[in-house]
Structures are given as C-alpha cells and as structure tokens.
Amino acid sequence: MEMKIMSVRKTTIGASIAAVLSAAALGTAATASASGQIVETPAIVCGPGYQVERQASFSGGVAYLLYNAGKQNACAVAFKTKNVGTRTLVWSAVDVKGAGVVKNEEITPLHTVPVYHAAPAGSWVKFSGGTKSADSGGGYEQIG
C-alpha cells in the first residue's frame, strides 16, 4: 500500500490536529508537529522495513497491521483520530494463529506502542485495536 505524505504549512495546534484528521481520512495516520512537519506514520512507529498490510477504522481511530518480510515479523499499532493530544486509553493486538496474541493497552495522547509477533511468510494473522468505547480489526488472513 502506498502511503501519501501531506505537507502542512500552518503551525497552529488546530492546523496540526487537522492534518492528523486529514491523514486518517486518507487511510494513513500521521502526527503533525508544531512546525507543521509530519513526523509519525504506522511504518515509522513500527520501524524500518515494515509496510502496512491492512487497516481497520473504528470510532475514534485506525488500527494497522504491518509486516516486515526480512524479519518475518508482524506489527500492530492503533492511532487515535479523536481526542488527539489528550491522554486516553488506546490498545492494539496482533494474533498469529497457533502462536498466541500479543496486546498492548495504554493511556496515550496519540498511538499505542507497537506490538510485535513472529510471523513467517504465509502465517495466518489477525489484528485489532481500539479505545475504551470502540474497536475494530479483521479476521485471520495470510501474511507475507
């Protein structure tokens, strides 16, 4: 999946939040800094070599499943689109069929710390993410 990077010229907090919401509407998640530069995406949060495989929206955010073929590893992270900047509960999880679930839940202003799970190419993987009041995810699908 190709991710579009947006430029933000205004430096106000309102413009930064608008950039985050616009990015989420485009199917990406990003944080706009005070200088207007986009500094975080799911791929940046998970690390080098990770590419978005799937995503699922929920009321207040987007959950992402990423994969690194070189490391044979899956990563899940959830970004908020509501209450951005306010510390609220957000969680993300990745489940590799037959190998268990790894989950992270925290009170955060933007996104969860990513969760990782070994997933050799062809593994059946599902992911999920959400907030205290809403969640989403997908069923098992092959990865890699």
Side-chain angles (χ1 to χ4, degrees), residues 5 24 47 67 126:
I5 303 296
Y67 188 66
K126 70 179 179 177

Side-chain angles (χ1 to χ4, degrees), residues 7-73:
S7 285
V8 179
R9 295 189 180 186
K10 293 184 180 180
T11 59
T12 64
I13 296 291
S16 296
I17 291 172
V20 172
L21 295 175
S22 295
L26 289 172
T28 63
T31 305
S33 69
S35 67
Q37 296 297 319
I38 300 218
V39 295
E40 289 185 306
T41 65
I44 289 172
V45 171
C46 287
Y50 282 89
Q51 304 227 350
V52 174
E53 290 274 317
R54 297 190 309 250
Q55 66 187 55
S57 297
F58 57 89
S59 179
V62 182
Y64 295 89
L65 175 67
L66 294 87
Y67 188 66
N68 184 317
K71 292 183 177 183
Q72 305 256 315
N73 217 20

